Amino acid sequence: MKTYRIRKDDKVMVTAGKDKGKVGKILKILPKRNAVLVEKVNMVKRHTKANPYAKTPGGIIEKEAPLDISNVALLCDGCAKPAKVGYKYTADGTKVRFCKKCNHEIA
């Protein structure tokens, strides 16, 4: 299984496509499709039929569509810019992610 340097609930910036420059939180990672769902980014409209058994109304709903994982970059808390991510071990032996631009640890 492929591993990624970004995780759920990370703050990311879109680096390519129609939503370039937008910032959002990762809602879900889709490893089989190499994609991510980012909050309030890549919004699409879907027509849904009402389902009285599930008590869902019909109509047009707006929801997030998946973005390719290569089109997002993790935002660093320290420098507030999209940055590459590295890994290092702390003094107590835990593995942490860090920003390669400013060397700030990412939680």
Side-chain angles (χ1 to χ4, degrees):
M1 185 171 154
K2 191 165 181 163
T3 58
Y4 302 106
R5 293 176 186 263
I6 56 175
R7 300 183 191 136
K8 184 180 174 183
D9 294 327
D10 278 345
K11 201 173 187 181
V12 293
M13 178 181 279
V14 180
T15 58
K18 68 173 185 172
D19 292 321
K20 182 177 180 176
K22 287 189 180 178
V23 176
K25 185 176 77 169
I26 291 188
L27 301 173
K28 193 173 187 180
I29 295 180
L30 308 166
K32 287 185 178 178
R33 292 185 56 187
N34 247 7
V36 291
L37 282 178
V38 183
E39 187 178 42
K40 302 289 184 204
V41 175
N42 200 21
M43 299 297 286
V44 293
K45 292 185 180 197
R46 292 288 175 254
H47 294 72
T48 57
K49 191 183 272 191
N51 186 347
Y53 302 109
K55 294 184 178 146
T56 56
I60 302 170
I61 60 164
E62 268 197 283
K63 64 179 189 175
E64 294 92 0
L67 280 170
D68 197 271
I69 203 158
S70 65
N71 293 339
V72 295
L74 185 68
L75 272 182
C76 173
D77 298 330
C79 56
K81 294 179 183 175
K84 292 186 177 182
V85 179
Y87 288 99
K88 65 181 175 183
Y89 290 94
T90 58
D92 61 335
T94 57
K95 188 177 179 181
V96 294
R97 297 180 297 167
F98 72 98
C99 170
K100 288 191 174 182
K101 281 185 180 180
C102 67
N103 214 19
H104 183 266
E105 284 188 11
I106 300 168

